[in-house]
Amino acid sequence: STYRLPSQGSRFMLRGRNSNVTRLIRGGIPRQPTTRRGRPFRAPLRRKATGAQPPWAPHGYVVSETPHEYRYALQLASAAAGASYMLGLRARSAVPSSVHRAADAYARANTERPLLTRAVTTAVLAAIGDLLAQSVASAPRAEASSAGPSSSSGGGGCDLRRTAVMAGWGGVCAGPFNHFWYNWLERAVVLRNPMHAVGLKIALDHVAYAPVLVGFFAWTDLFQGRAATPHDALRQAVCSEHLAPTLRANVVAWTAVHALTFTVVPPPYHVLWVSVNSVFWSAYCSSVSEGGSI
């Protein structure tokens, strides 16, 4: 192959025997690299250069040539990045401005008042989960009562006390606990291997949430009138037949969720991510606490 002398001011990547050196070629005459003390830099000869070298290349250096398959891969990656950027712009323009304002307001509140914001968010999403559980549980009763026109008015009732109990649990207990717990996990669990850190965080979360589930059953028994005192509510929660199945379901459901929590989701939004996934978990726990299942 033939090589042309580089034009004035052009750049070339010159690969040394043991290091990569970027040098500016001016007028076809390369400058000899020097060390920090001003002595000429001599690259050790460890392997013989393969292929014909251009006449202007200095001794001991090889002009790097990017293979065509790498060049095609870089072109494809650049095209994919440009396409994803354009799709992101299109998607952002398709979302209404009110959604953007709400998201900005939530991000600002999450930064300025994180504890209050996360407690309110958890309470609202816990109430939504309980309403979802009630709607799922009342659907078979509504279908069964549709045959009798006299009983159609009582089939679609909503237990507001049960919803308030779930919202109180989310705002008073679950939200503040999640705030302090995930902040502590980010500070305390720092390992050299990121995957080991993620596994340890998931294991600690499962261990920490066992007493939290006991507290949840005690909370619902106390405020739903199934226990007279907090001591009786705690004793009933520990001896409940629903505790062990709920702990097993907790391990199965939240392992996959927390694999994304500790790898993809930014730490300031851990509580929001967990609360959004807790909509379905709250629906399940609310149904179990009432003696049913989903």
Side-chain angles (χ1 to χ4, degrees):
S1 59
T2 60
Y3 295 87
R4 294 186 299 105
L5 288 177
S7 59
Q8 184 72 18
S10 59
R11 286 185 179 272
F12 290 84
M13 175 66 74
L14 303 181
R15 183 184 305 156
R17 295 306 180 188
N18 62 347
S19 62
N20 292 335
V21 182
T22 302
R23 302 175 56 208
L24 181 64
I25 311 300
R26 286 192 174 92
I29 302 177
R31 295 180 180 178
Q32 186 177 12
T34 58
T35 61
R36 183 175 297 179
R37 297 183 179 179
R39 299 175 181 176
F41 175 78
R42 299 290 183 181
L45 297 177
R46 294 186 179 179
R47 62 181 178 84
K48 189 175 181 180
T50 58
Q53 299 301 314
W56 48 267
H59 178 71
Y61 291 89
V62 181
V63 177
S64 63
E65 297 179 357
T66 304
H68 65 279
E69 57 269 16
Y70 293 162
R71 187 163 57 249
Y72 294 155
L74 290 176
Q75 292 175 356
L76 289 176
S78 300
S84 61
Y85 177 74
M86 296 301 297
L87 289 176
L89 291 180
R90 290 289 185 89
R92 183 177 177 84
S93 62
V95 176
S97 59
S98 58
V99 177
H100 287 294
R101 289 195 296 269
D104 293 339
Y106 181 85
R108 185 168 56 254
N110 190 37
T111 303
E112 297 174 355
R113 295 177 295 274
L115 179 59
L116 179 61
T117 302
R118 294 166 186 177
V120 173
T121 302
T122 307
V124 172
L125 293 177
I128 293 175
D130 179 74
L131 293 176
L132 176 64
Q134 293 190 43
S135 63
V136 172
S138 62
R141 293 197 299 266
E143 292 179 358
S145 61
S146 61
S150 60
S151 61
S152 60
S153 59
C158 178
D159 190 352
L160 296 181
R161 180 180 178 181
R162 171 178 163 181
T163 304
V165 168
M166 286 296 298
W169 165 259
V172 176
C173 300
F177 176 81
N178 289 339
H179 168 74
F180 293 108
W181 171 246
Y182 290 114
N183 286 342
W184 179 85
L185 274 183
E186 289 300 320
R187 294 193 307 267
V189 181
V190 180
L191 300 180
R192 183 172 300 178
N193 191 328
M195 291 297 101
H196 292 172
V198 171
L200 181 58
K201 289 178 182 179
I202 293 175
L204 290 176
D205 187 83
H206 291 329
V207 172
Y209 262 84
V212 171
L213 287 176
V214 174
F216 168 76
F217 285 115
W219 176 280
T220 54
D221 288 343
L222 180 63
F223 288 98
Q224 287 282 62
R226 293 190 290 266
T229 62
H231 182 269
D232 294 340
L234 185 60
R235 181 175 52 82
Q236 292 179 12
V238 172
C239 300
S240 175
E241 60 180 3
H242 302 298
L243 181 60
T246 307
L247 288 174
R248 290 194 297 266
N250 176 72
V251 173
V252 173
W254 287 101
T255 299
V257 173
H258 286 322
L260 297 176
T261 303
F262 302 120
T263 55
V264 179
V265 182
Y269 295 97
H270 280 174
V271 177
L272 176 61
W273 166 255
V274 171
S275 299
V276 170
N277 288 276
S278 294
V279 170
F280 303 99
W281 179 250
S282 299
Y284 171 78
C285 291
S286 177
S287 177
V288 170
S289 67
E290 296 296 324
S293 61
I294 294 182

